Amino acid sequence: MSTTITLKNGVKMPFIGLGTWQVKDKEEGINAVKCAIEAGYKAIDTAVVYQNEEAVGEGIKASGIDRSELFVTTKVYNDKQGYEETHQSFKESLERLQLDYVDLYLIHWPITDKYHDTWRAMEEIYTSGKAKAIGISNFHPQHIEDLMTTANIVPMVNQIELHPNQNQQALVAYCHERDIAVTAYSPLGHGNLLDHPVIKEIGETHHKSVAQVILRWDIQNGITAVPKSVNKDRIAANIDVFDFELSEEEMAQLNALHTGERVNKNPDIFIIEK
Ligand code: A2P
């Protein structure tokens, strides 16, 4: 089983990356990134709005890993969208990360009156080589269709809330049909799913935890995931998912757990609220 998927432009993206949403404390962030890299993570996911790009940069530096081995993702936030603003925000992200390129740059949320201009800047950033891949986050099919009326480059990734309670089956199918890779954020339901009896039982069969079963389910569905943890053991456990396989029946059981529950905002509503 490969630990990476290949994006439509040939770039390889690790299935499991360290999520950093809500990691606000700087030392905690640095430590989490160091622990992740020690545990074998090659991918780290951050965003301007998480306010931890500096910690991620310092953690990477402190780990001593060769930059070329890593896959770093960051995102332009809503208040920084627009053509000039995106170029500026990207420059500032690189500075905070102490990097001269990122592996993946995403539009964080579909701000409908801005994302066309944002994407134009992102295409230029991609062409310049300072982002090895570009994509979107929280985009629904209607946002993608609308973006494509002006885009020259089809997004390579869509990062969305995805976990057994919100399996996003239709959106994943839509993306995969267009060769847009999907990344699951809040893959553990923000921690809410960790006592789920069905997932627990499946885990017991494989001597794996609920978190590991969920992450393995993502991988077998062709989905990359960015579980967040600041705990050394949990960070290590979350990438220890390549030595077992869920059966077709177990996959079907997990695919059937959808309740529609979300832990973050519905992008359709978020646009109105901004
Ligand atoms: P912690 O950082 O203390 O490990 P999600 O990625 O879905 O948003 O979930 C993140 C939440 O799940 C955090 O509260 C995190 O806490 C917790 N978590 C992450 N990995 C595990 C794990 N393997 N077992 C239990 N809890 C976990």
Side-chain angles (χ1 to χ4, degrees):
M1 172 89 215
S2 172
T3 58
T4 60
I5 57 159
T6 304
L7 304 180
K8 64 165 78 211
N9 64 343
V11 166
K12 288 194 188 315
M13 175 174 184
F15 266 115
I16 301 293
L18 179 73
T20 64
W21 180 36
Q22 292 182 346
V23 181
K24 282 256 168 76
D25 182 82
K26 192 166 178 192
E27 285 311 312
E28 198 171 49
I30 294 171
N31 193 48
V33 170
K34 272 168 54 188
C35 286
I37 293 171
E38 269 166 34
Y41 283 65
K42 302 289 188 221
I44 316 286
D45 181 90
T46 180
V48 173
V49 74
Y50 303 167
Q51 297 178 355
N52 57 26
E53 287 174 311
E54 269 182 30
V56 168
E58 286 189 29
I60 290 171
K61 225 171 165 189
S63 77
I65 195 169
D66 193 309
R67 163 70 184 99
S68 63
E69 285 192 46
L70 284 182
F71 188 100
V72 180
T73 300
T74 194
K75 316 179 190 86
V76 57
Y77 200 56
N78 308 338
D79 58 348
K80 301 285 198 280
Q81 285 202 43
Y83 178 77
E84 298 288 350
E85 294 89 338
T86 297
H87 273 296
Q88 181 60 29
S89 183
F90 181 70
K91 243 176 69 185
E92 291 167 6
S93 284
L94 286 186
E95 279 164 22
R96 283 190 293 267
L97 286 162
Q98 301 183 59
L99 298 177
D100 51 15
Y101 69 90
V102 296
D103 297 274
L104 179 61
Y105 195 40
L106 303 176
I107 302 183
H108 207 142
W109 287 87
I111 305 302
T112 42
D113 56 345
K114 290 278 178 70
Y115 57 54
H116 293 281
D117 288 335
T118 303
W119 192 249
R120 195 155 51 87
M122 299 203 28
E123 289 178 334
E124 289 177 4
I125 290 166
Y126 174 65
T127 309
S128 78
K130 292 194 170 205
K132 302 299 175 198
I134 49 174
I136 52 189
S137 181
N138 296 298
F139 274 52
H140 283 176
Q142 75 267 21
H143 307 127
I144 299 174
E145 304 277 327
D146 182 39
L147 183 68
M148 290 318 301
T149 61
T150 56
N152 293 309
I153 298 173
V154 180
M156 290 138 205
V157 173
N158 190 10
Q159 182 178 127
I160 54 176
E161 177 178 344
L162 191 155
H163 43 74
N165 276 345
Q166 180 55 251
N167 66 26
Q168 303 272 22
Q169 225 164 48
L171 182 53
V172 170
Y174 175 93
C175 289
H176 282 175
E177 275 162 26
R178 285 153 185 81
D179 205 9
I180 299 172
V182 172
T183 299
Y185 76 71
S186 297
L188 312 175
H190 213 40
N192 293 344
L193 281 157
L194 296 165
D195 288 322
H196 198 293
V198 174
I199 312 177
K200 244 183 177 165
E201 203 182 316
I202 294 174
E204 278 159 19
T205 316
H206 296 278
H207 307 291
K208 290 285 179 183
S209 68
V210 168
Q212 288 169 322
V213 169
I214 295 175
L215 295 167
R216 181 70 203 187
W217 167 74
D218 284 323
I219 293 169
Q220 288 183 219
N221 277 329
I223 292 164
T224 58
V226 287
K228 174 263 172 186
S229 182
V230 292
N231 173 281
K232 190 174 195 267
D233 294 338
R234 292 194 284 274
I235 288 172
N238 290 347
I239 202 166
D240 183 19
V241 291
F242 293 95
D243 61 350
F244 75 112
E245 189 165 357
L246 299 166
S247 68
E248 260 179 52
E249 195 191 332
E250 289 166 336
M251 287 297 288
Q253 269 180 291
L254 292 161
N255 287 337
L257 297 180
H258 180 85
T259 59
E261 216 171 294
R262 287 178 189 270
V263 296
N264 209 320
K265 295 186 178 173
N266 181 333
D268 291 335
I269 296 162
F270 192 78
I271 292 166
I272 299 158
E273 287 176 1
K274 282 236 177 107

